[in-house]
Amino acid sequence: MAEVTNFDDVLRREPGPGGEGPAPRHMSGQVPGERRDGGDAPASPERPADSAPAGTGPAAGDSRRPVVVVDDLHVTYKVYSSGKAAGAAEGRKLFTRTRGLREVHAVKGVSFTAYENESIGIIGSNGSGKSTLMRTIVGLTPPASGAVYASSRPNLLGVGAALIPDLSGDKNITLGGLALGYTRKEVEALREEIVTFAELEDFIDLPMKTYSSGMSARLKFAIAASKQHEILIVDEALAVGDARFRQRSEARIREIRENAGTVFLVSHSMKSILDTCSRVIWINKGVLEMDGEPDIVVKAYKESKK
């Protein structure tokens, strides 16, 4: 992922070899059109050299400030046919017969632009590539080709966000706050607010490994949401907890958005998407199926499931 502050050149130039100006590079340093293994990148439709990347350019007269540009993004990974990831299975070959590798094309030529103050819902069935797309935007998953540009580093909040189970919730607040860039003094000033938001006043001194999944998720969300993020990605974090906590979480997401932040919300809850988001992107089998008004996209998605 390339971190940039001015998207004018990104939105105008032709990505990849053959366009005007230097080819954009993402976090891996690759030129789009090259594969990490040296092979050819997945083919994508050609565009005129003077046009903006498909789906990424602002409409004529659009004065909104872009904060994330995803340009013709492809993500692939290899798994063994048994379903085990290639890297994880390497150490277990002694007494098992290794089967052939299979390449999964998880994200296929996705392009879009996210603007300041948007709350964007990401929907799709299980295995559609939603989380892979978000991990690539954050920089955790390298793309096979294409590029991601961001005005600042996106922050990923997921139910699986890493804190230390053996430590108390209170100590994890310190750990999480320092990881977000707070000073110890700032963490202390925010501690009571975080505990109250997470509704863990009676349990904050207990080890996190004793928490239920809902309690852990509330604490993780409260820590991450204590900071005003320019770009925040929330992956299924609102799927746990009771209705009251979901309402408060959704209100906090709206607050982040209104304070010049951009939020991506990955969820299977269409109610959360409709209540929180100003725009929805539907990913279907790795392809951007639809991008637009929440009511319209969600209705089309529901129709497709019948």
Side-chain angles (χ1 to χ4, degrees):
M1 179 200 56
E3 196 168 311
V4 296
T5 56
N6 191 325
F7 285 94
D8 290 345
D9 292 338
V10 174
L11 294 173
R12 292 194 183 101
R13 68 183 169 185
E14 164 68 12
E20 296 179 3
R25 292 180 177 268
H26 44 60
M27 61 171 288
S28 66
Q30 289 173 262
V31 175
E34 294 178 347
R35 284 275 292 279
R36 293 175 65 85
D37 57 8
D40 294 331
S44 59
E46 294 185 0
R47 295 186 295 270
D50 59 351
S51 68
T56 62
D62 194 337
S63 60
R64 294 179 298 170
R65 174 176 171 260
V67 294
V68 175
V69 174
V70 177
D71 175 28
D72 195 22
L73 188 68
H74 293 263
V75 179
T76 62
Y77 58 89
K78 291 182 173 66
V79 295
Y80 287 108
S81 56
S82 64
K84 300 293 184 182
E90 285 295 327
R92 297 194 292 272
K93 293 194 298 184
L94 187 58
F95 299 110
T96 58
R97 186 173 181 177
T98 302
R99 299 184 179 184
L101 283 173
R102 176 185 171 190
E103 184 173 88
V104 177
H105 197 167
V107 177
K108 305 172 183 177
V110 170
S111 296
F112 64 87
T113 298
Y115 296 91
E116 190 176 67
N117 295 101
E118 280 193 311
S119 182
I120 303 174
I122 308 295
I123 64 174
S125 58
N126 288 327
S128 62
K130 307 183 301 296
S131 293
T132 300
L133 174 61
M134 295 300 101
R135 287 176 61 84
T136 306
I137 290 174
V138 172
L140 297 175
T141 299
S145 69
V148 176
Y149 303 90
S151 59
S152 65
R153 179 160 292 278
N155 293 277
L156 174 65
L157 169 65
V159 173
L163 293 178
I164 299 179
D166 289 331
L167 295 182
S168 68
D170 187 64
K171 291 187 182 300
N172 271 299
I173 289 175
T174 301
L175 181 66
L178 294 174
L180 287 172
Y182 290 132
T183 64
R184 285 187 176 271
K185 186 175 181 180
E186 289 170 332
V187 173
E188 289 306 316
L190 288 167
R191 188 180 303 278
E192 185 176 349
E193 179 184 336
I194 291 171
V195 173
T196 301
F197 190 96
E199 301 177 349
L200 292 173
E201 293 91 340
D202 296 332
F203 307 98
I204 200 63
D205 293 325
L206 297 178
M208 272 196 68
K209 64 184 179 183
T210 65
Y211 289 5
S212 67
S213 59
M215 293 165 69
S216 296
R218 294 203 306 268
L219 181 59
K220 291 168 186 173
F221 184 91
I223 293 170
S226 67
K227 187 178 180 68
Q228 177 59 39
H229 301 275
E230 184 175 348
I231 306 168
L232 178 63
I233 296 174
V234 184
D235 192 350
E236 296 293 356
L238 303 186
V240 295
D242 57 23
R244 184 177 63 174
F245 178 73
R246 286 197 296 273
Q247 290 173 356
R248 295 171 64 208
S249 301
E250 291 163 4
R252 176 56 184 150
I253 287 176
R254 286 191 289 270
E255 184 181 339
I256 291 173
R257 183 189 70 198
E258 289 162 4
N259 290 326
T262 300
V263 179
F264 292 88
L265 172 61
V266 182
S267 181
H268 288 286
S269 170
M270 295 303 107
K271 185 179 186 304
S272 290
I273 292 289
L274 291 172
D275 289 347
T276 309
C277 300
S278 57
R279 172 183 170 190
V280 173
I281 292 174
W282 171 16
I283 303 296
N284 183 27
K285 297 180 180 178
V287 176
L288 196 159
E289 187 78 21
M290 199 170 181
D291 179 2
E293 293 292 329
D295 290 342
I296 297 172
V297 179
V298 168
K299 181 179 179 181
Y301 173 68
K302 287 182 175 179
E303 289 291 332
S304 74
K305 305 296 285 183
K306 292 180 179 179

